Amino acid sequence: MLRLFVALDLPAECRADVSALAGGIPGAKWVPPDNYHLTLRFIGEIENWRAQEVDDALSVIRGTSFELSLRGVGTFEKAGRINALWVGAERNDALTHLQNKIETALQRIGLPPERKRFSPHVTIARTDRAPPDKVIAFVQAHNLFRAAPVQVGCFTLFSSRLGKEASVYTPEVEYDLMARRAA
Ligand code: 3AM
């Protein structure tokens, strides 16, 4: 079995911009910059033969290269608790389009539809154990955050191994949006 998700990997300069934000909330578990990514589709546990089907389905997706700008910070809540702190992405039709194509491709091979609305973000901290007022103050203080725009020309299938400290994410396959199909 493999635990998989599809995401945009981020270039080093972008990771550095984002990681400059980290810190200043007691109890927050900051995501290591090497783990930063923008999830396009969480797949979860899947048999190896299904993973091959996923790879086949993703490898025929084509699109255009686009510019991605990370900006602003926000939170997710679960059961009334702020559990994640993230950096957002500027509205971007090319990104939405890519996410739609991936969703369609994965549904076509039988994966159940993702029910959550796509909300592009890069998680920077898990905040289940942080005082909510400190998290809110952080969001207010960093609302105007902007990272330098990055050019996106590919997306990546990651495997994930859950670790005690941090999960280990491994890029398994990179899909070039503009690759020419084999004749
Ligand atoms: O991109 P972020 O960091 O928000 O939280 C996990 C992480 O999201 C999410 O998938 C990304 C890569 O691990 N994730 C983990 N389990 C999940 C689940 N059962 C999940 N997303 C949806 N359903």
Side-chain angles (χ1 to χ4, degrees):
M1 291 286 263
L2 290 162
R3 184 179 170 87
L4 299 177
F5 65 97
V6 184
L8 298 182
D9 213 346
L10 301 171
E13 319 82 73
C14 183
R15 288 175 197 279
D17 282 352
V18 174
S19 69
L21 282 176
I25 307 177
K29 202 167 149 196
W30 297 93
V31 174
D34 279 351
N35 275 3
Y36 291 161
H37 61 270
L38 188 154
T39 300
L40 296 166
R41 174 57 142 92
F42 179 74
I43 296 174
E45 297 279 340
I46 193 166
E47 311 248 10
N48 290 27
W49 65 271
R50 291 287 277 159
Q52 185 57 56
E53 286 192 346
V54 166
D55 178 32
D56 291 344
L58 295 177
S59 63
V60 292
I61 291 176
R62 294 293 176 272
T64 47
S65 167
F66 60 90
E67 199 175 77
L68 173 75
S69 295
L70 297 181
R71 60 177 293 183
V73 291
T75 57
F76 288 139
E77 284 182 29
K78 200 173 180 182
R81 187 179 281 265
I82 302 176
N83 67 344
L85 176 64
W86 44 260
V87 166
E90 205 164 74
R91 194 192 132 77
N92 185 323
D93 289 342
L95 175 64
T96 308
H97 203 63
L98 173 60
Q99 195 273 336
N100 277 331
K101 282 185 185 175
I102 291 168
E103 181 62 33
T104 303
L106 295 179
Q107 285 186 27
R108 206 174 283 146
I109 59 162
L111 265 65
E114 171 61 70
R115 279 170 300 150
K116 273 191 260 166
R117 200 172 148 269
F118 180 49
S119 163
H121 66 275
V122 176
T123 300
I124 59 169
R126 308 276 165 202
T127 52
D128 314 63
R129 290 165 191 219
D133 59 321
K134 300 278 189 235
V135 182
I136 291 162
F138 181 98
V139 170
Q140 284 166 351
H142 296 287
N143 226 0
L144 297 178
F145 169 77
R146 275 190 104 95
V150 295
Q151 199 63 31
V152 175
C154 64
F155 63 97
T156 306
L157 179 63
F158 284 89
S159 64
S160 160
R161 275 183 297 121
L162 302 177
K164 256 198 188 141
E165 284 307 308
S167 298
V168 179
Y169 299 146
T170 308
E172 299 289 348
V173 191
E174 201 170 88
Y175 304 96
D176 186 344
L177 285 171
M178 291 155 304
R180 294 180 56 170
R181 283 169 218 256

